[in-house]
Amino acid sequence: MIKGDTKTAILDAAQELIQRSGANAMSYQHISEAIGIRKASIHHHFPTKDALLDALIRRYAAYFLGLVDSIVESKKDPASKLRAYAGLFEATLSEGKQDKACLCGMLGAELSTLGGPAAAGVRRFYRENEARLVRVLEEGKAQGQFHYKGDAKLVAAMIFSLLEGGVLVARAEGGHQRLHAMAEQTLKLLQR
Amino acid sequence: MIKGDTKTAILDAAQELIQRSGANAMSYQHISEAIGIRKASIHHHFPTKDALLDALIRRYAAYFLGLVDSIVESKKDPASKLRAYAGLFEATLSEGKQDKACLCGMLGAELSTLGGPAAAGVRRFYRENEARLVRVLEEGKAQGQFHYKGDAKLVAAMIFSLLEGGVLVARAEGGHQRLHAMAEQTLKLLQR
DNA sequence: GTCTATAGCGCGATAGAC
DNA sequence: GTCTATCGCGCTATAGAC
């Protein structure tokens, strides 16, 4: 193995596999082949698949929400913050050779097949993303840049679902350019 | 079996399983237990899983797009048409005891694991939904009910992704009421 | 911490009787 | 058209040597 930290290499491989094909299509065997280690060694680091998923979701949420926080707390104007936020999803889609979706977007589809801790982690990820979007939307409304009527929480839910769904749909047709165009169109609606 | 038509019963069971848990978590064994028939008998009607998925997607697309067409061609005003369209997704979510998602929304997440015909069917479903939304959006703009700037195709893509993603996210929290509220919020943005 | 080997199960799919 | 029986494989997980 090239990487110093086996645990990290396992998580990296598992994440990539799930972002492409989903958790139910990801196996210890696939990870094994991806990083050149035996299945039993993976079990040494993550005894069960549920434990692996739980650790993976925690790492992903911490990393992704960290990026979101640095956007939300930046000095950009609200519209630019939304653009940057959408850019995170566009980047996911365009990194690597095959289209990858948001880890938690994939797991959302397979939610009923996940263990309790993993499912709870996915729900938390959704909630925390929406909470951050609410902040940006209210800031934008206070500054006169956004002009939506109604509850900021609903607009936030709308934008989050749009991006999570948009990533999945864009993998079928259009890719990251299409997701980008959709995000810009959404901004137009918010700015009147 | 209660149903007269075995083929239909198989498709019904497979569809329900996939809408809850995804295609990779659905098996001939699960269908067998759901309708009280042996695995081998299912293979008699659908020799391979890919063939089953292909037939299922065709049936689902014909049914769903039929409902969409009757909405699009109705005498409702454009905003009411959009409400009725979103209602199709809300109904999917609330029918039965557990939350079901759109069949093709689920398969979109698992797209890379599908056979060629099934994947093509999912793509076609997306395209045809968006084409119908474009008609409603242009009608609404012509009548002065909608006020979006930009390309109707992008707004259509936005709304479709929002609903497909919204169904998946709403299963994690909020259910069909939340999806309904999101759809109403989206309409507010379109109507200014 | 990584390995070989294996248990035990569920999977998709097929053969052949009725 | 449905059944029993079975094949061969991939899966998660464990035991135990090194």
Side-chain angles (χ1 to χ4, degrees):
Chain A
M1 203 193 3
I2 292 109
K3 251 327 206 21
D5 188 350
T6 304
K7 224 158 178 150
T8 301
I10 293 169
L11 290 173
D12 288 348
Q15 181 174 329
E16 184 143 335
L17 287 163
I18 295 174
Q19 287 185 284
R20 294 200 199 296
S21 312
N24 290 323
M26 180 273 288
S27 71
Y28 278 59
Q29 187 60 45
H30 290 133
I31 298 171
S32 157
E33 286 160 11
I35 65 176
I37 201 178
R38 296 308 203 149
K39 283 194 297 173
S41 308
I42 304 172
H43 279 284
H44 171 77
H45 294 282
F46 302 100
T48 68
K49 195 172 173 178
D50 271 349
L52 200 173
L53 284 175
D54 186 37
L56 183 54
I57 292 162
R58 284 178 197 282
R59 187 184 75 153
Y60 185 83
Y63 172 72
F64 191 91
L65 291 171
L67 293 178
V68 176
D69 280 335
S70 72
I71 291 169
V72 172
E73 290 156 13
S74 73
K75 302 200 166 187
K76 294 180 206 284
D77 63 295
S80 300
K81 288 182 184 179
L82 273 194
R83 268 198 190 86
Y85 181 74
L88 297 178
F89 291 82
E90 295 164 26
T92 301
L93 209 44
S94 56
E95 80 197 10
K97 46 185 172 179
Q98 282 174 266
D99 288 347
K100 289 197 289 188
C102 170
L103 180 76
C104 290
M106 295 295 283
L107 296 179
E110 298 174 306
L111 201 65
S112 71
T113 71
L114 301 181
V122 171
R123 281 176 227 270
R124 199 182 321 117
F125 180 82
Y126 291 173
R127 254 185 280 121
E128 304 215 331
N129 270 275
E130 290 181 8
R132 282 154 177 84
L133 280 170
V134 167
R135 284 179 55 192
V136 175
L137 287 167
E138 288 178 341
E139 184 187 22
K141 194 170 203 177
Q143 293 182 16
Q145 199 172 22
F146 298 153
H147 300 279
Y148 59 88
K149 286 184 294 189
D151 191 349
K153 278 188 187 172
L154 283 177
V155 182
M158 199 202 85
I159 292 174
F160 183 67
S161 288
L162 157 63
L163 290 170
E164 288 289 4
V167 168
L168 297 181
V169 174
R171 295 200 307 176
E173 211 129 61
H176 65 101
Q177 297 99 330
R178 205 177 106 108
L179 183 63
H180 180 75
M182 279 172 41
E184 286 298 323
Q185 181 64 59
T186 306
L187 256 179
K188 278 188 196 160
L189 289 181
L190 283 175
Q191 295 176 301
R192 181 175 327 277
Chain B
M1 205 195 0
I2 293 106
K3 244 342 202 12
D5 188 351
T6 304
K7 223 157 181 153
T8 301
I10 293 169
L11 290 172
D12 289 347
Q15 181 173 330
E16 185 144 332
L17 287 163
I18 296 174
Q19 286 185 286
R20 293 199 200 298
S21 312
N24 290 322
M26 180 275 285
S27 72
Y28 278 59
Q29 187 59 47
H30 290 133
I31 298 171
S32 156
E33 287 159 11
I35 64 175
I37 201 178
R38 297 307 204 150
K39 282 197 299 174
S41 306
I42 303 172
H43 279 285
H44 171 76
H45 294 282
F46 301 101
T48 68
K49 195 172 174 178
D50 271 351
L52 200 173
L53 284 175
D54 187 37
L56 183 53
I57 292 163
R58 284 177 196 281
R59 188 184 73 153
Y60 185 84
Y63 173 73
F64 191 91
L65 291 171
L67 294 178
V68 176
D69 279 336
S70 72
I71 291 169
V72 171
E73 290 158 12
S74 73
K75 302 202 167 187
K76 294 181 207 281
D77 62 298
S80 300
K81 288 182 184 178
L82 272 193
R83 268 197 190 88
Y85 181 74
L88 297 179
F89 291 82
E90 295 164 27
T92 301
L93 208 46
S94 56
E95 80 197 12
K97 44 186 175 182
Q98 281 173 267
D99 287 346
K100 291 197 288 187
C102 170
L103 180 76
C104 290
M106 294 295 285
L107 296 179
E110 298 173 305
L111 200 66
S112 71
T113 71
L114 301 181
V122 171
R123 281 177 229 271
R124 198 181 323 117
F125 180 82
Y126 292 173
R127 253 185 281 122
E128 303 216 331
N129 270 275
E130 291 181 7
R132 282 154 178 84
L133 280 170
V134 167
R135 283 179 56 191
V136 175
L137 287 167
E138 287 178 341
E139 184 187 23
K141 195 170 201 176
Q143 293 181 16
Q145 198 173 24
F146 298 153
H147 300 279
Y148 58 88
K149 286 183 293 190
D151 191 348
K153 278 188 187 172
L154 283 176
V155 182
M158 199 203 86
I159 292 174
F160 183 67
S161 289
L162 157 63
L163 290 171
E164 288 288 4
V167 167
L168 297 181
V169 174
R171 295 201 307 176
E173 210 128 63
H176 65 102
Q177 297 99 332
R178 205 177 106 107
L179 183 64
H180 181 73
M182 280 172 40
E184 285 298 324
Q185 182 63 59
T186 306
L187 255 180
K188 280 187 195 161
L189 288 181
L190 283 176
Q191 295 176 301
R192 178 174 328 275

